[in-house]
Amino acid sequence: MQTGFVGLGAMGAHMARSLHRAGLLTGVWNRTADKATALAKELRCLAFTSLTELAGNCEAVVICVSADDDLRAVIAGLEPGLSPNMIVMDCSTVGAATARELHTRLDALGVGFLDCPVSGGVEGARTASLAIMVGGDEPVFSRAQPILQAMGKNVAYLGASGAGQAAKATNQIMCAGIIQAVGEAMAFAHAEGLPLDRLIELLGKGAGSSWYFVNRAPFMAHNSFPAGFRVRLHAKDLRICRDMAAQHGAQLPVVESTLAQYAQLINQGFGDEDISSIYRLKSALFPAKPEPT
Ligand code: NAP
């Protein structure tokens, strides 16, 4: 299936490369055009000059942009070029209600829409090993399988439109609790004077381990938080979780406390760092200790 990719950010550029390796990528579009030109040159594919042009030259479109209104803007740009039986697949993390809204909008044009948010971080995107949570019409999911399988290792259909985003929100709540726990534990271990790299190696195989411990505790040990999953993006996801929980009449303590800590980090100018920078706040709980080296 001729596939176009929209949104060449930290995740999207790698996902587009995965589609290229599978022989599926026709071309790319990015809001900041330079990124599309550079990737098209690297992959020898097309750099479309507009979303409408991309839609008019592809059978499927994969989108990975920041948030709900960004996705709406991309869909509006694609719309004039879309034709019946095309498939639009959104891998961004947005609200389940937004996914249902866009499913209805594209269904009216005869275009299939899947919400297929991903988990696995930049590493998962680079190695095409993402977990992909899919909501939408099952026949559309079946047709989209080659594209999904090219980007992820674990792809699951979870139900009607919005189910993928609900699953992703579930995951983001877990990530909030885990990154807080890993940050707190690492600040404690540092205060105890433990050899952090050896500790990570060991505890990474223990019962308290997790993807975040294995992959992000090393960032904490070295007090360096290069772009991975931005604080402001996870904050955006947790606001989605907050809104979805509120519809059930619930307020979630893990979500609220993580949002409060992310607000602090954003105010301090760390909103574009990886979420492991929560360690900055956790290590400040141990004021008497020197900064880690
Ligand atoms: P990112 O590096 O900030 O990239 C965002 C991309 O969206 C860029 O290509 C940006 O274009 C584009 N974009 C933003 N607003 C747009 C708009 N209004 N119109 C058109 N394009 C727009 O973000 P990311 O880390 O790749 O994340 C992308 C999505 O995946 C987010 O929903 C995020 O929550 C989700 N996600 C991220 C991770 C992770 O570990 N990073 C993991 C799982 C899921 P420009 O280049 O012009 O800015």
Side-chain angles (χ1 to χ4, degrees):
M1 215 182 280
Q2 300 261 309
T3 307
F5 201 101
V6 175
L8 305 172
M11 297 294 285
H14 289 305
M15 293 159 73
R17 286 188 184 98
S18 302
L19 292 180
H20 169 75
R21 282 196 298 274
L24 294 167
L25 187 70
T26 301
V28 295
W29 181 89
N30 193 68
R31 179 179 59 178
T32 306
D34 291 0
K35 290 188 199 170
T37 314
L39 193 69
K41 196 171 166 199
E42 175 193 322
L43 302 180
R44 296 201 179 89
C45 69
L46 298 170
F48 293 110
T49 53
S50 74
L51 286 164
T52 309
E53 187 196 4
L54 180 146
N57 285 280
C58 294
E59 298 161 283
V61 182
V62 182
I63 304 169
C64 190
V65 294
S66 306
D68 301 54
D69 282 344
D70 306 313
L71 174 63
R72 288 190 183 94
V74 166
I75 298 282
L78 291 170
E79 248 170 0
L82 293 172
S83 47
N85 292 322
M86 280 182 69
I87 302 177
V88 174
M89 307 161 70
D90 173 42
C91 296
S92 326
T93 304
V94 299
T98 302
R100 288 191 286 268
E101 167 199 318
L102 294 172
H103 177 271
T104 303
R105 182 163 150 186
L106 293 186
D107 194 46
L109 304 174
V111 172
F113 178 79
L114 298 174
D115 48 304
C116 33
V118 301
S119 178
V122 175
E123 292 85 345
R126 190 175 53 239
T127 56
S129 60
L130 293 165
I132 309 185
M133 301 147 260
V134 189
D137 302 333
E138 205 162 4
V140 177
F141 168 70
S142 301
R143 286 169 54 215
Q145 277 282 356
I147 296 169
L148 294 165
Q149 296 291 346
M151 300 186 292
K153 257 198 195 128
N154 295 295
V155 179
Y157 176 75
L158 295 166
S161 182
Q165 294 296 352
K168 175 69 184 181
T170 308
N171 186 67
Q172 297 314 78
I173 296 168
M174 281 196 286
C175 291
I178 293 165
I179 199 71
Q180 281 219 46
V182 172
E184 229 162 272
M186 287 300 289
F188 172 81
H190 178 249
E192 284 291 311
L194 290 167
L196 297 182
D197 289 329
R198 246 182 295 155
L199 182 79
I200 293 166
E201 177 90 31
L202 184 66
L203 296 191
K205 298 177 181 74
S209 187
S210 61
W211 187 94
Y212 272 103
F213 182 73
V214 170
N215 291 284
R216 294 297 180 254
F219 287 14
M220 298 176 183
H222 298 280
N223 219 25
S224 159
F225 314 100
F229 184 28
R230 295 171 210 271
V231 169
R232 63 175 88 254
L233 280 181
H234 197 199
K236 176 263 297 178
D237 296 353
L238 293 177
R239 285 192 294 275
I240 291 170
C241 299
R242 171 195 270 165
D243 292 347
M244 290 176 73
Q247 283 165 18
H248 298 281
Q251 195 184 52
L252 302 178
V254 166
V255 168
E256 294 304 323
S257 70
T258 310
L259 274 170
Q261 288 171 58
Y262 284 173
Q264 260 180 281
L265 287 174
I266 291 166
N267 282 340
Q268 291 169 16
F270 302 124
D272 286 319
E273 286 190 344
D274 181 77
I275 62 170
S276 49
S277 78
I278 203 165
Y279 180 75
R280 292 179 184 281
L281 305 180
K282 302 299 187 184
S283 57
L285 299 172
F286 297 88
K289 287 285 162 186
E291 282 295 299
T293 52

